[in-house]
């Protein structure tokens, strides 16, 4: 357990509970069922906060739409199932019915419940450290998740992250002809170099065009 977590747990009962799926039919002395559903519910909410904070900090130039889509991919059930398998979580789960054994979703559920257990045991900072260091950095390929979004801005941000170069978009509104709707111009800087300029009817379109030109430049 310490190897999995990276720290010593205090309330071991919480961590044992995190690995008991609903179908395991483990009961307390009073006869009430005991499973990880409530911890999973809590962990799901904590994960959303952790991932949102991480993306906000590490992608300062990206808009809400990008961060929302990437967060959804990170916490997607299929992705969490795969990551939980890589972390060897399946061997810790208390199995129940044959149906449950054949369901890989219990792996991701257990990972969420584990985050909930850490939060209750050691607080948000340690839950965040665990998920970022032990899960995201070791078992998730953010570049691959970003590539699922084929727009130019996402691709140039991915390149900048990989090459440890700061990518900054400088956008402003232009009023060339007052009889028409305003247009926007955007410049992208990679480090200290201006690598692309774009124009469009919206800030988003201008940034996409600037990113497209920058991709041609670096390639």
């Amino acid at each position: 357990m310490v190897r999995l977590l990276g720290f010593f747990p205090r309330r071991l009962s919480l961590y044992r509970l995190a690995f008991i799926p609903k179908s395991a039919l483990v009961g307390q002395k009073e006869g009430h069922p005991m499973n990880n559903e409530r911890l999973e519910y809590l962990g799901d909410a904590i994960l959303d906060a952790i991932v949102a904070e991480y993306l906000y900090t590490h992608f300062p130039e990206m808009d809400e739409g990008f961060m929302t889509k990437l967060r959804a991919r990170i916490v997607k059930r299929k992705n969490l199932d795969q990551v939980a398998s890589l972390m060897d979580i399946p061997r810790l789960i208390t199995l129940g019915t044959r149906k449950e054994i054949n369901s890989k979703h219990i792996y991701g559920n257990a990972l969420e419940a584990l985050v909930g257990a850490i939060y209750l045991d050691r607080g948000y900072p340690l839950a965040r450290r665990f998920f970022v260091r032990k899960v995201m950095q070791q078992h998730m390929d953010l570049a691959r998740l970003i590539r699922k979004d084929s727009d130019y801005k996402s691709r140039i941000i991915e390149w900048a992250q990989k090459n440890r170069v700061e990518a900054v978009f400088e956008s402003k509104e232009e009023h060339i002809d007052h009889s028409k709707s305003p247009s926007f111009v955007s410049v992208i800087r990679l480090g200290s170099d201006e690598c692309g300029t774009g124009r469009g009817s919206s800030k988003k379109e201008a940034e996409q065009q600037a990113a497209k030109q920058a991709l041609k430049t670096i390639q």
Side-chain angles (χ1 to χ4, degrees):
M1 182 66 74
V2 173
R3 184 177 179 182
L4 173 66
L5 298 175
F7 59 87
F8 287 95
R10 292 172 179 164
R11 298 166 61 188
L12 281 173
S13 59
L14 286 171
Y15 299 89
R16 295 191 186 102
L17 185 61
F19 298 120
I20 302 177
K22 184 178 180 180
S23 68
L25 302 178
V26 176
Q28 296 175 332
K29 291 181 179 180
E30 297 81 3
H32 299 298
M34 185 169 65
N35 58 59
N36 64 6
E37 273 193 314
R38 285 168 55 83
L39 280 178
E40 178 195 339
Y41 163 79
L42 178 61
D44 177 65
I46 300 301
L47 274 187
D48 273 347
I50 291 171
V51 175
E53 180 185 358
Y54 181 88
L55 297 181
Y56 182 87
T57 302
H58 286 77
F59 296 92
E61 294 304 317
M62 300 309 289
D63 58 22
E64 178 188 1
F66 170 89
M67 292 188 291
T68 298
K69 286 188 287 185
L70 185 53
R71 180 181 63 181
R73 291 173 191 149
I74 290 172
V75 301
K76 187 177 180 180
R77 177 63 55 216
K78 184 178 180 180
N79 188 48
L80 292 182
D81 290 338
Q82 292 172 344
V83 169
S85 294
L86 292 173
M87 297 173 69
D88 209 19
I89 281 179
R91 71 178 179 84
L92 299 172
I93 294 175
T94 301
L95 294 175
T97 65
R98 178 60 53 183
K99 180 180 178 181
E100 190 77 283
I101 293 173
N102 291 331
S103 173
K104 290 187 177 180
H105 288 327
I106 65 171
Y107 303 160
N109 293 347
L111 178 55
E112 286 185 333
L114 178 59
V115 172
I118 297 171
Y119 172 76
L120 291 177
D121 182 39
R122 302 295 295 270
Y124 179 79
L126 207 58
R128 177 182 58 198
R129 190 180 77 178
F130 165 77
F131 193 76
V132 171
R133 295 183 182 180
K134 291 288 188 175
V135 181
M136 292 183 67
Q137 293 179 354
Q138 292 189 22
H139 298 290
M140 286 189 185
D141 186 351
L142 282 187
R144 179 182 62 82
L145 293 175
I146 291 173
R147 278 197 297 272
K148 289 186 177 180
D149 208 348
S150 60
D151 67 85
Y152 299 114
K153 186 174 179 181
S154 296
R155 288 164 58 189
I156 198 68
I157 292 294
E158 176 195 347
W159 180 91
Q161 288 277 321
K162 187 179 297 183
N163 290 274
R164 298 183 179 181
V165 176
E166 184 180 20
V168 177
F169 286 88
E170 298 175 352
S171 305
K172 63 181 181 180
E173 189 175 324
E174 286 187 324
H175 294 274
I176 299 175
D177 187 340
H178 292 284
S179 64
K180 297 181 179 180
S181 300
S183 61
F184 293 81
V185 60
S186 181
V187 174
I188 179 173
R189 299 183 186 277
L190 297 176
S192 59
D193 299 325
E194 183 179 312
C195 295
T197 303
R199 285 183 168 78
S201 58
S202 67
K203 178 182 174 182
K204 182 176 181 179
E205 182 182 348
E207 290 179 345
Q208 287 289 343
Q209 293 302 316
K212 181 178 180 180
Q213 189 178 104
L215 283 171
K216 291 180 180 179
T217 300
I218 63 178
Q219 289 171 356

